């Protein structure tokens, strides 16, 4: 922001890292269950057994938890920005690990989150009766 305030990257926080780690582990466990079922020659696990269904729910729960963390953080950042009543908003794109190698993938890496943030910011400013230049 113009007053020198920068917002931390939420993806580096311990809560997000922990949830992503748990999501990976749950995904691996689910994959192993599907693989062992296929290896035994059983029907495709569309319905699955009770353990597979439990693991699917666990993976969905972690995905939902992560998306809620990101949405909550985005809402907080927008509220802080709107409280300072900026005239111009400029977004500095963070570096993506894939940016140097393949710039197109770097854009995909950040595209959806930045767009959602901009829409949320513009809508909030519109509700408050503020004009915001991009």
């Amino acid at each position: 922001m113009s007053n020198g305030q920068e917002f931390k990257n939420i993806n580096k926080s311990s809560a997000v890292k922990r949830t992503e780690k748990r999501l990976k582990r749950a995904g691996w466990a689910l994959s192993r269950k599907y693989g062992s079922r296929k290896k035994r020659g059983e029907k495709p696990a569309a319905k699955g057994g009770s353990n597979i269904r439990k693991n699917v729910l666990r993976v969905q729960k972690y995905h939902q938890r992560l998306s809620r963390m990101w949405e909550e953080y985005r809402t907080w950042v927008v509220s802080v920005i709107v409280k300072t009543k900026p005239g111009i908003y400029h977004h500095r794109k963070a570096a993506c690990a894939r940016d140097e190698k393949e710039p197109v993938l770097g854009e995909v890496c950040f595209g959806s989150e930045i767009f959602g943030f901009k829409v949320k910011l513009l809508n909030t400013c519109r509700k408050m009766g503020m004009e915001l230049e991009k």
Side-chain angles (χ1 to χ4, degrees):
M1 290 187 3
S2 61
N3 61 4
Q5 181 181 7
E6 289 188 8
F7 298 100
K8 292 181 181 177
N9 184 355
I10 189 172
N11 293 325
K12 294 182 180 179
S13 70
S14 62
V16 171
K17 282 184 179 179
R18 186 179 340 115
T19 307
E20 285 177 337
K21 193 175 195 178
R22 288 177 180 169
L23 173 63
K24 276 187 206 176
R25 287 181 179 164
W28 291 335
L30 181 62
S31 177
R32 282 195 306 271
K33 286 190 185 299
Y34 277 125
S36 66
R37 190 177 179 106
K38 184 178 177 183
K39 199 173 190 179
R40 288 191 306 249
E42 294 180 15
K43 291 182 181 178
K47 293 182 182 177
S50 62
N51 284 339
I52 288 180
R53 277 184 261 139
K54 286 179 199 174
N55 275 17
V56 168
L57 288 175
R58 189 174 295 132
V59 169
Q60 289 173 348
K61 182 178 75 172
Y62 288 133
H63 275 292
Q64 187 178 39
R65 191 176 292 170
L66 275 172
S67 66
R68 283 184 180 167
M69 284 179 188
W70 290 326
E71 181 62 30
E72 182 181 315
Y73 182 73
R74 198 175 339 170
T75 304
W76 174 77
V77 168
V78 166
S79 69
V80 168
I81 289 174
V82 169
K83 284 177 186 175
T84 60
K85 298 183 179 175
I88 298 174
Y89 167 73
H90 174 72
H91 183 81
R92 182 174 59 96
K93 187 174 107 173
C96 182
R98 297 181 286 189
D99 267 349
E100 296 85 28
K101 297 176 186 172
E102 299 175 36
V104 175
L105 290 178
E107 288 298 321
V108 171
C109 182
F110 287 101
S112 61
E113 290 299 318
I114 289 175
F115 179 75
F117 174 75
K118 284 181 181 178
V119 168
K120 190 171 202 68
L121 181 64
L122 289 171
N123 288 339
T124 307
C125 285
R126 201 173 297 133
K127 284 179 190 175
M128 303 288 284
M130 295 169 36
E131 288 185 26
L132 189 69
E133 297 177 17
K134 295 179 188 179

